Amino acid sequence: MAGNKYSTIFIRFGGADRDILMTQVMMMKERFKSFVVLMVENDQDKKTLDANSKLFDDSISIADEDISDAALEYCSEMNRSKQDATFVGILSDNGKKLKDAGFSVKNPGEMAESYKKAMEMLENMVVNPK
């Protein structure tokens, strides 16, 4: 999958809209045949993982770990390409460590906003066809 920044997708929900983000990740997973890893920080993440086992291929518990280091270690241990990986989530260093390693880093809030705009455009096209 060389050149496919979505071969491995790491998800850290934080305060993001889970429904929208899971919809987007599900579409990416299907389109790019991605391997999706959930970064589990709390009970809500555990519930999301349990309820969506078809979306997530693996998970990492990150209770006391540096999130970037956990993703980098996972790639090394599981022989996943860092250059073909995407991290979706908010990081304290704005993703610098992961970007330096070759990752693509996406802000879940920006992804949700983009999704909402696209849905509005589609709705307008259906309601007001030209």
Side-chain angles (χ1 to χ4, degrees), residues 3 5 9 11 18 21 45 62 67 88 100 122 126-127 129:
K5 282 289 191 183
I9 302 172
I11 306 295
R18 288 172 188 259
L21 194 55
D45 291 336
I62 53 171
I67 295 157
V88 178
D100 289 348
L122 284 172
V126 171
V127 173

Side-chain angles (χ1 to χ4, degrees), residues 78-112:
M78 304 303 278
N79 295 317
R80 310 283 316 170
S81 170
K82 296 173 185 114
Q83 289 73 31
D84 293 342
T86 294
F87 183 91
V88 178
I90 303 295
L91 295 165
S92 60
D93 69 348
N94 293 320
K96 182 178 177 353
K97 189 184 288 187
L98 292 179
K99 288 176 186 175
D100 289 348
F103 274 65
S104 170
V105 178
K106 297 192 175 291
N107 180 306
E110 291 172 4
M111 288 177 65

Side-chain angles (χ1 to χ4, degrees), residues 8-15 18 21 25 35-49 56-63 65-75 86-91 98 103:
T8 305
I9 302 172
F10 292 87
I11 306 295
R12 179 185 183 209
F13 284 111
R18 288 172 188 259
L21 194 55
V25 171
F35 186 86
V36 181
V37 181
L38 177 62
M39 311 295 273
V40 179
E41 295 182 274
N42 53 43
D43 288 337
Q44 189 175 10
D45 291 336
K46 290 176 188 172
K47 289 177 186 175
T48 298
L49 178 63
F56 303 108
D57 298 296
D58 205 351
S59 64
I60 303 172
S61 179
I62 53 171
E65 288 187 58
D66 176 275
I67 295 157
S68 296
D69 286 343
L72 292 168
E73 288 173 22
Y74 185 91
C75 285
T86 294
F87 183 91
V88 178
I90 303 295
L91 295 165
L98 292 179
F103 274 65

